[in-house]
Structures are given as C-alpha cells and as structure tokens.
Amino acid sequence: MIASTDPPRAAAGRDEASSDHLDPAHALYHHAAGVLASAQAVDAASHAAGAVAAVAPTLACLDTGLAALAAATERLRAQALTRLAEPLFEADERRRERAELSASFERLAGVLAQASIAAEQALAATDPVLDELTV
C-alpha cells in the first residue's frame, strides 16, 4: 500500500506564517505521517547487510514508540467517544456505533501495548548474543 506522507494543505486564506501553528487535528496528522515515513524508512534500512548491528537500539525505539502509540490511541478513543456523546439524547441512536468504535480502539491500543512488550522481550533476548550481532 502506498500512502502519502505529506501533511494536509493549510486552509485557504492562511498566510505562510500561520502554517507553523497547525490546529491540533492537522498537527496530529502531520506527526502520524511522520510515523509512517519513519516506519517505511526503518523497513527499507532493515534490508541492508549489517543492519542487525543496530538491533538493540532499534528494538528499544520500537518498544518506546509502540507504547506511545498505544497511549495516543487510547486518548483518541476517549476524545472520539466524548465527541460522539454530544449532545446526548434519550433516544441515543449512536450507542451501538460508539460501542463498536470504543471496542475497536481498545483492541488497537491493546495490540500496540502488547507489541511494545514483545519488542522489550525481543530486546532482552538479544542481550546474550549482542556482541555477536554488533560485530
């Protein structure tokens, strides 16, 4: 899958100076696009002979990055649920959609947290052989 890593265009009528101060949604997308670009660069760099010498710091970065993505996903879940709950009517037509969205975001945050733990465990597994990997 090919995805654009270009941040969304500034709203019409904005001057160049104000583009440095993106609104929160644009800032989030801009950083998410950066994560995508970095992930693709890590994938490409991993193909190079000798890349394994960076396995320990790479796994440490993955561990911390995945934990941060899990936390961000949980915050986005909470914000989405808050937004969808306003205004709350007695005949709440969005209850099922909110429940599905919440469960999906929770699963995603959980998988990211588990992946962070797996990266930490993989890093620990490299410890006994790290000298051989980094030579």
Side-chain angles (χ1 to χ4, degrees):
M1 176 172 125
I2 298 175
S4 170
T5 58
D6 295 333
R9 302 262 186 248
R14 282 192 185 170
D15 60 275
E16 277 304 302
S18 69
S19 67
D20 291 340
H21 305 288
L22 298 174
D23 67 74
H26 283 89
L28 176 65
Y29 174 74
H30 177 77
H31 291 296
V35 169
L36 172 60
S38 292
Q40 290 173 332
V42 167
D43 179 42
S46 71
H47 292 277
V52 73
V55 70
T58 301
L59 288 171
C61 289
L62 290 174
D63 173 15
T64 304
L66 288 163
L69 290 172
T73 300
E74 181 52 37
R75 279 190 293 281
L76 289 173
R77 181 193 72 78
Q79 288 183 24
L81 292 175
T82 298
R83 174 72 63 90
L84 291 174
E86 297 171 358
L88 193 58
F89 298 106
E90 279 191 38
D92 188 357
E93 299 171 7
R94 297 231 179 246
R95 184 172 289 143
R96 184 178 58 75
E97 289 91 352
R98 279 197 320 267
E100 288 177 14
L101 179 133
S102 180
S104 292
F105 273 61
E106 261 183 75
R107 279 191 299 275
L108 176 57
V111 167
L112 290 166
Q114 289 174 353
S116 171
I117 292 166
E120 182 180 11
Q121 291 169 342
L123 177 58
T126 65
D127 196 41
V129 294
L130 197 53
D131 289 342
E132 293 175 49
L133 295 174
T134 58
V135 177

